[in-house]
Amino acid sequence: LTFYRHHPGQISRQSQERKLDFLRQVHEKAYRMFRDSEPRVTDKMYRKRMADLDFKQARLWIRQGRAKEARPLLHRAWREFPFSFRVIRYLIWAHLRG
């Protein structure tokens, strides 16, 4: 009844790391476009979204055995989400692993 097309460049076939990089670029562009318009994308909204992407990138790197590289990202995420149990848990994990 339907056809499902695959091609090598589609985002669903890309690695998690490339997807996160793509999302970071989209959020940066949206912030630049809408920070001075109404309704406005605030600095706080932008920082929180980027911190969430930092956390996801760090979690991926920890799972790949790259804990030392993940630490700066986790510290940035922690500054935005100081009471987040998941960020604190991975931050401790990164320091114990690497």
Side-chain angles (χ1 to χ4, degrees):
L1 296 171
T2 63
F3 291 100
Y4 191 75
R5 195 179 115 214
H6 290 278
H7 61 90
Q10 70 191 49
I11 196 161
S12 62
R13 289 202 171 259
Q14 293 178 0
S15 72
Q16 185 69 18
E17 198 162 340
R18 287 193 61 197
K19 288 178 190 177
L20 290 169
D21 187 47
F22 173 76
L23 285 174
R24 187 176 301 280
Q25 291 173 17
V26 167
H27 289 298
E28 288 171 351
K29 186 174 182 178
Y31 175 70
R32 285 192 307 272
M33 289 175 63
F34 297 109
R35 67 180 168 206
D36 297 325
S37 65
E38 289 298 328
R40 193 169 167 266
V41 175
T42 65
D43 291 339
K44 184 177 181 177
M45 291 166 57
Y46 173 72
R47 283 193 325 269
K48 286 205 177 283
R49 186 63 194 135
M50 297 308 277
D52 186 56
L53 290 173
D54 284 343
F55 169 76
K56 289 176 180 176
Q57 181 74 53
R59 183 178 59 190
L60 176 67
W61 283 351
I62 288 171
R63 291 176 179 170
Q64 293 174 347
R66 299 164 60 187
K68 190 173 182 177
E69 295 173 72
R71 285 187 209 142
L73 299 177
L74 287 167
H75 282 282
R76 282 198 316 234
W78 184 55
R79 280 194 294 275
E80 288 300 320
F81 302 109
F83 303 108
S84 169
F85 177 71
R86 70 181 188 152
V87 172
I88 293 168
R89 183 180 69 186
Y90 276 92
L91 189 56
I92 292 168
W93 191 16
H95 281 280
L96 293 175
R97 291 258 186 191

